[in-house]
């Protein structure tokens, strides 16, 4: 088996697995009417397929420490985020972002949602492929790069968990009803949870990039794709549109003083 054939085989298996799992997400969404479960299933799907691809066996070989490390990293990420989203979804009737899509699509909503989720699954191929590639670095023993990559992922997980906890704490206080959270990390970024989610995906290029490993450059697709999807597609745009509808001028003021993605010191509001 050539190296190219092995990697192409992995790509096909990853694509088929994600397509099937996102098909299941569509069935759950249609039956429950709660599209929040879509993100829950997507997170577990990427974690499951990612860990499986990291440990994908080669004939006559056993999984090495790096494969187990990469599989553990994506599994930890998936469990933390997936459980968080599942708990949040259990407390709502529908995700306002997907609900807005369904309203826009009208009677074609079921078909359009299926296509949308399949595109989401296929669009996630670069993420899982980056995990697969990082796990396949030719040196079986762990290097400093591997530990740095693991540290980056744990910082991303910790930062995202902190941002989620701060937002939850803010929303639980009755005095904050109708207000915009600008406490803690949310004072420095309008979407600190998204920033740390993106930051964690830098772990795989750090593990894989090397002049001796030509496939390692493919791992750069993971943070590039995650940045694009969060900042320009299903992350920030629909969420900010929803916040403008529900918070109005309060959110516009928040936008004027707070960085959209990368954490930066807040700007002073100009009083006119």
């Amino acid at each position: 088996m050539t190296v190219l054939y092995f990697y192409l085989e992995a790509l096909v298996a990853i694509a088929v697995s994600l397509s099937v799992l996102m098909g299941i997400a569509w069935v759950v969404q249609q039956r429950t009417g709660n599209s929040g479960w879509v993100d829950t299933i997507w997170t577990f799907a990427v974690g499951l397929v990612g860990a499986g691809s990291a440990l994908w066996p080669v004939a006559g070989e056993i999984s090495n420490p790096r494969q187990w490390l990469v599989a553990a990293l994506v599994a930890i990420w998936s469990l933390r985020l997936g459980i968080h989203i599942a708990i949040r979804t259990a407390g709502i009737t529908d995700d306002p972002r997907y609900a807005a899509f369904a309203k826009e699509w009208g009677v074609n909503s079921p078909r359009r949602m299926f296509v949308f989720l399949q595109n989401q699954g296929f669009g996630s191929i670069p993420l899982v492929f980056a995990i697969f590639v990082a796990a396949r670095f030719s040196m079986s023993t762990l290097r400093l790069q591997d530990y740095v990559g693991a540290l980056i992922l744990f910082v991303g997980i910790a930062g995202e968990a902190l941002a989620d906890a701060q937002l939850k704490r803010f929303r639980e206080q009755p005095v904050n009803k109708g207000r915009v959270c600008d406490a803690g990390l949310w004072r420095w970024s309008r979407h600190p949870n998204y920033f740390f989610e993106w930051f964690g995906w830098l772990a795989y290029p750090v593990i894989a990039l090397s002049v001796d490993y030509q496939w390692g450059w493919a791992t750069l697709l993971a943070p590039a794709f995650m940045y694009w999807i969060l900042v320009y597609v299903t992350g920030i745009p629909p969420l900010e549109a929803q916040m403008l509808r529900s918070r109005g001028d309060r959110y516009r003021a928040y936008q004027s003083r707070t960085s959209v993605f990368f954490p930066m010191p807040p700007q002073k509001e100009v009083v006119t």
Side-chain angles (χ1 to χ4, degrees):
M1 178 187 295
T2 65
V3 173
L4 178 59
Y5 178 82
F6 177 68
Y7 279 69
L8 290 177
E9 184 182 54
L11 267 175
V12 172
I14 288 168
V16 171
S17 300
L18 290 172
S19 177
V20 170
L21 290 171
M22 293 312 292
I24 294 173
W26 178 80
V27 172
V28 172
Q29 183 270 333
Q30 291 294 303
R31 296 225 173 156
T32 64
N34 188 346
S35 52
W37 294 115
V38 166
D39 288 345
T40 306
I41 296 173
W42 175 86
T43 305
F44 287 137
V46 172
L48 177 63
V49 181
S53 69
L55 297 174
W56 187 306
V58 179
E61 298 181 10
I62 60 174
S63 299
N64 62 45
R66 180 171 297 98
Q67 288 178 263
W68 283 106
L69 172 65
V70 172
L73 291 178
V74 68
I76 292 170
W77 163 82
S78 177
L79 287 172
R80 203 297 302 181
L81 183 59
I83 292 172
H84 168 75
I85 298 175
I87 293 173
R88 183 185 68 193
T89 299
I92 62 175
T93 57
D94 200 3
D95 186 308
R97 295 171 302 154
Y98 291 99
F101 287 144
K103 183 178 180 181
E104 177 185 343
W105 295 332
V107 294
N108 293 321
S109 178
R111 179 181 60 82
R112 293 282 298 272
M113 183 64 73
F114 180 82
V115 174
F116 182 85
L117 296 187
Q118 286 299 302
N119 288 336
Q120 188 173 339
F122 286 125
S124 303
I125 292 173
L127 300 179
V128 179
F129 190 63
I131 296 165
F132 171 81
V133 170
R136 297 293 159 182
F137 186 81
S138 57
M139 186 184 297
S140 60
T141 56
L142 296 178
R143 309 151 299 152
L144 177 60
Q145 279 181 247
D146 300 301
Y147 295 109
V148 173
L151 178 61
I152 288 173
L153 185 66
F154 285 129
V155 169
I157 290 174
E160 188 172 7
L162 177 60
D164 290 337
Q166 289 174 341
L167 180 60
K168 183 175 182 291
R169 191 180 309 119
F170 181 88
R171 288 175 170 173
E172 288 175 343
Q173 298 176 6
V175 69
N176 292 327
K177 185 176 181 180
R179 298 175 61 189
V180 178
C181 177
D182 62 353
L185 294 171
W186 298 85
R187 183 173 175 80
W188 289 67
S189 169
R190 301 205 296 270
H191 305 278
N193 53 340
Y194 286 168
F195 166 77
F196 282 106
E197 172 64 26
W198 167 81
F199 184 82
W201 286 94
L202 295 174
Y204 303 104
V206 168
I207 291 172
L209 285 179
S210 171
V211 294
D212 300 322
Y213 185 38
Q214 60 180 353
W215 284 96
W217 297 99
T219 58
L220 291 172
L221 292 173
F225 170 78
M226 185 55 69
Y227 180 83
W228 175 71
I229 201 74
L230 290 176
V231 176
Y232 296 109
V233 188
T234 62
I236 291 174
L239 182 56
E240 295 226 327
Q242 170 63 25
M243 291 300 293
L244 286 170
R245 286 192 295 268
S246 62
R247 299 294 187 269
D249 289 339
R250 285 185 174 180
Y251 198 75
R252 291 185 182 90
Y254 179 60
Q255 287 177 314
S256 70
R257 66 177 183 268
T258 310
S259 171
V260 62
F261 187 73
F262 294 100
M264 297 176 64
Q267 299 180 7
K268 292 184 179 180
E269 292 187 53
V270 178
V271 179
T272 59

